[in-house]
C-alpha cells in the first residue's frame, strides 16, 4: 500500500442474509482514497453506499476482501481495538444525530471528553470549532432551538473536534433545502482546505459531488461502475450503459442552451425538481388546476431501481404570479426544487 493511501478497499464484498434471500450490498469493490482528498461516492438508493462507508470505521465488516484505514487492516481488527482507530475518524449523518439533552457546546465537547481531553483544553477547542462553523453565539442553546443547517454545522464541529484524519459524511445534506445545502458543503470544503482533513462523502445528488469532490466513484447495485476525477466525469461522461447514473443525471438537468431553447417555445416559469418519490410530485402536479396554473413537462425523466425512483423533472408553470409562487412552494414540499431558472 502506498503511504498516501489513507483508505484502501481490496475486492470487498458484503452480503446480508443467506440463501435465496441474500443481498450483496457491496460487490467486489476495490478503491483507494488519498490523504487530503475529498472523495465522493454517488449512486441510487440501495446501491450500497452506506454499507461501504460503514466499513471504513468498522461499523460493518466485509464478508470477503480487506479494508485498510490509516495503515491498519480495520476489517481484520478485534472489536476491542476499533475505538482507537475510530477516534481518528469523524462522522456526519443525514439526521444529524445530536444529543438533545446537551447544549451545542456539550455536543461538540463530547468526543473530547471520551478522548480524555482536560476541561481547559476542551473549552478552548470547542470555542475554536464553534467559531469555525459560525455558531459561537449558539454555544449555550440546545439542538431543538436550531435550524437544520445549524444542527448540521454542530454535527460537523463535533465530528472535527478530536482532530480526526478522516471525515465520513453520509448524505450530510439530504435533509436540507438547497441554500442550506450549499452552506454545509462550503463548510466541508473549508474543513478540507484549512485542516487538510480527508473526506469521504456519499450522496445521491450530483450537485453535492460537483460542489466538493475531487474524485468520485459511481456505485450501482453494489459495484463501482466508474471512478475518476470529478472534472473529467462531468466534462466527458462515458457512453457506456454502466455509467447510466452520471449520464442520466446530466441529461436530466437542462443545460443553459436547453433552457434557452425551451423558452423560445413555452411560456411560464421554469422549475427543475428532483424526484425521489414520483407519487408525491404527481399529486402536486395534479393540483395545478386547483391553483389556477397550467404546467408543461419540458425536460427530464425518471429512473427506477429496486428500491426507489429518481429523476430530475423540469416543468414550465404558467399563470398569475402569486398562483405560480404558491404552486412552486407546494412542489418544493413534495419533491425538492433544485432550481427555478431565472
Ligand atoms: N443490515 C442490513 N441487513 C440486510 N440488508 C441490508 C442491511 N443494510 C443494508 N442492506 C441492504 O443492502 C443494500 C444496500 O444498502 P445501503 O443502505 O448500503 O444502500 P445506500 O446506497 O446507502 O442506499 P440509500 O441511498 O437509500 O441510503 C440494500 O439492498 C439494503 O436493503
Ligand atoms: Mg445510505
Amino acid at each position: 500500500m502506498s503511504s498516501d493511501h489513507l483508505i484502501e478497499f481490496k475486492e470487498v464484498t458484503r452480503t446480508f442474509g443467506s440463501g435465496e434471500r441474500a443481498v450483496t450490498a457491496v460487490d467486489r469493490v476495490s478503491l483507494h482514497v488519498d490523504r487530503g482528498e475529498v472523495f465522493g461516492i454517488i449512486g441510487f438508493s440501495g446501491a450500497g453506499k452506506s454499507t461501504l462507508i460503514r466499513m471504513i470505521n468498522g461499523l460493518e465488516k466485509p464478508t470477503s476482501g480487506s479494508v485498510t484505514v490509516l495503515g491498519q487492516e480495520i476489517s481484520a481488527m478485534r472489536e476491542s481495538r476499533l475505538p482507537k482507530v475510530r477516534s481518528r475518524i469523524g462522522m456526519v449523518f443525514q439526521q444529524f444525530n445530536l444529543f438533545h439533552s446537551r447544549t451545542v457546546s456539550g455536543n461538540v465537547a463530547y468526543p473530547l471528553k471520551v478522548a480524555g481531553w482536560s476541561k481547559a483544553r476542551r473549552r478552548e477547542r470547542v470555542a475554536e470549532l464553534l467559531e469555525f462553523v459560525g455558531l459561537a453565539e449558539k454555544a449555550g442553546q440546545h439542538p431543538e432551538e436550531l435550524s437544520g443547517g445549524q444542527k448540521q454545522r454542530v454535527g460537523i464541529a463535533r465530528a472535527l473536534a478530536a482532530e480526526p484524519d478522516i471525515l465520513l459524511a453520509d448524505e450530510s445534506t439530504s435533509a436540507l433545502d438547497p441554500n442550506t445545502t450549499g452552506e454545509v458543503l462550503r463548510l466541508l470544503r473549508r474543513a478540507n482546505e484549512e485542516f487538510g482533513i480527508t473526506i469521504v462523502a456519499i450522496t445521491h445528488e450530483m450537485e453535492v459531488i460537483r460542489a466538493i469532490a475531487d474524485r468520485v466513484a459511481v456505485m450501482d447495485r453494489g459495484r463501482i461502475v466508474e471512478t475518476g476525477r470529478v472534472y473529467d466525469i462531468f466534462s466527458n461522461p462515458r457512453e457506456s450503459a454502466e455509467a447510466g447514473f452520471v449520464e442520466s443525471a446530466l441529461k436530466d438537468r437542462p443545460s443553459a442552451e436547453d433552457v434557452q431553447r425551451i423558452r423560445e417555445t413555452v411560456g411560464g416559469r421554469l422549475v427543475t425538481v428532483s424526484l425521489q418519490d414520483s407519487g408525491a410530485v404527481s399529486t402536486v402536479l395534479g393540483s395545478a388546476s386547483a391553483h389556477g396554473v397550467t404546467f408543461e413537462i419540458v425536460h427530464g425523466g425518471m429512473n427506477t431501481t429496486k428500491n426507489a425512483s429518481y429523476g430530475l423533472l423540469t416543468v414550465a408553470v404558467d399563470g398569475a404570479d402569486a398562483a405560480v409562487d404558491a404552486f412552486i412552494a407546494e412542489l418544493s414540499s413534495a419533491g425538492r426544487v433544485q432550481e427555478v431558472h431565472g
Side-chain angles (χ1 to χ4, degrees):
M1 188 179 87
S2 140
S3 61
D4 274 354
H5 291 180
L6 226 57
I7 300 170
E8 185 153 38
F9 279 64
K10 279 196 191 139
E11 285 288 310
V12 172
T13 293
R14 176 64 166 110
T15 306
F16 291 107
S18 59
E20 284 205 347
R21 299 177 61 191
V23 176
T24 301
V26 172
D27 190 6
R28 287 164 290 157
V29 164
S30 295
L31 61 81
H32 64 88
V33 179
D34 292 339
R35 186 176 287 278
E37 268 195 307
V38 179
F39 190 81
I41 299 170
I42 189 166
F44 295 122
S45 182
K49 307 181 296 295
S50 293
T51 306
L52 185 86
I53 211 170
R54 287 161 57 82
M55 290 195 275
I56 297 174
N57 57 7
L59 286 173
E60 205 67 78
K61 280 213 184 309
T63 308
S64 63
S66 69
V67 180
T68 305
V69 178
L70 297 160
Q72 303 187 58
E73 194 182 331
I74 194 158
S75 51
M77 216 174 259
R78 277 204 313 271
E79 197 67 30
S80 61
R81 291 185 53 217
L82 287 174
K84 187 138 189 281
V85 187
R86 280 195 192 131
S87 71
R88 299 177 63 188
I89 307 174
M91 190 154 187
V92 193
F93 306 88
Q94 174 171 7
Q95 294 306 334
F96 323 127
N97 296 9
L98 301 178
F99 303 114
H100 291 273
S101 59
R102 292 172 202 260
T103 60
V104 165
S105 293
N107 270 277
V108 179
Y110 180 78
L112 302 176
K113 226 170 167 172
V114 172
W117 289 40
S118 73
K119 202 164 178 188
R121 277 184 74 211
R122 275 192 332 246
R123 193 174 306 145
E124 194 179 326
R125 179 71 179 146
V126 169
E128 189 178 292
L129 283 157
L130 290 181
E131 194 63 47
F132 176 74
V133 302
L135 290 175
E137 78 285 7
K138 303 279 184 197
Q141 302 204 331
H142 280 84
E144 68 267 20
E145 300 172 83
L146 307 180
S147 70
Q150 290 170 335
K151 283 182 195 154
Q152 193 57 297
R153 286 191 271 150
V154 176
I156 292 171
R158 184 180 62 181
L160 294 173
E163 300 176 327
D165 296 278
I166 299 170
L167 183 67
L168 306 178
D170 189 345
E171 301 283 0
S172 60
T173 58
S174 295
L176 305 174
D177 64 62
N179 283 339
T180 316
T181 292
E183 224 172 72
V184 166
L185 294 178
R186 279 190 293 280
L187 189 56
L188 290 175
R189 190 77 236 182
R190 266 180 61 217
N192 169 256
E193 283 164 1
E194 293 177 27
F195 309 138
I197 191 166
T198 304
I199 301 181
V200 180
I202 68 185
T203 181
H204 56 261
E205 291 174 291
M206 217 56 181
E207 282 316 300
V208 171
I209 297 293
R210 201 199 294 261
I212 63 167
D214 300 309
R215 279 196 306 138
V216 62
V218 181
M219 224 180 157
D220 185 24
R221 283 162 289 181
R223 306 227 56 186
I224 300 284
V225 294
E226 179 153 7
T227 0
R229 301 205 62 81
V230 169
Y231 175 81
D232 295 334
I233 288 188
F234 275 105
S235 56
N236 184 25
R238 268 203 277 134
E239 295 274 331
S240 75
E242 287 192 327
F245 190 88
V246 178
E247 280 181 34
S248 63
L250 289 174
K251 191 171 70 223
D252 289 352
R253 178 176 289 276
S255 66
E257 297 91 273
D258 289 331
V259 169
Q260 204 175 358
R261 192 168 34 74
I262 293 164
R263 287 212 188 291
E264 285 167 20
T265 53
V266 294
R269 211 147 349 139
L270 290 182
V271 190
T272 299
V273 211
S274 74
L275 311 178
Q276 288 173 35
D277 168 4
S278 52
V281 170
S282 43
T283 304
V284 178
L285 293 178
S287 73
S289 65
H291 278 278
V293 301
T294 59
F295 75 88
E296 202 174 323
I297 295 174
V298 292
H299 200 95
M302 293 296 292
N303 299 287
T304 53
T305 61
K306 244 186 2 255
N307 304 338
S309 300
Y310 275 92
L312 281 181
L313 197 66
T314 302
V315 291
V317 185
D318 215 349
D321 255 343
V324 172
D325 283 342
F327 185 73
I328 289 174
E330 199 183 327
L331 210 48
S332 31
S333 61
R336 283 189 63 185
V337 169
Q338 293 278 319
E339 197 173 351
V340 178
H341 302 273

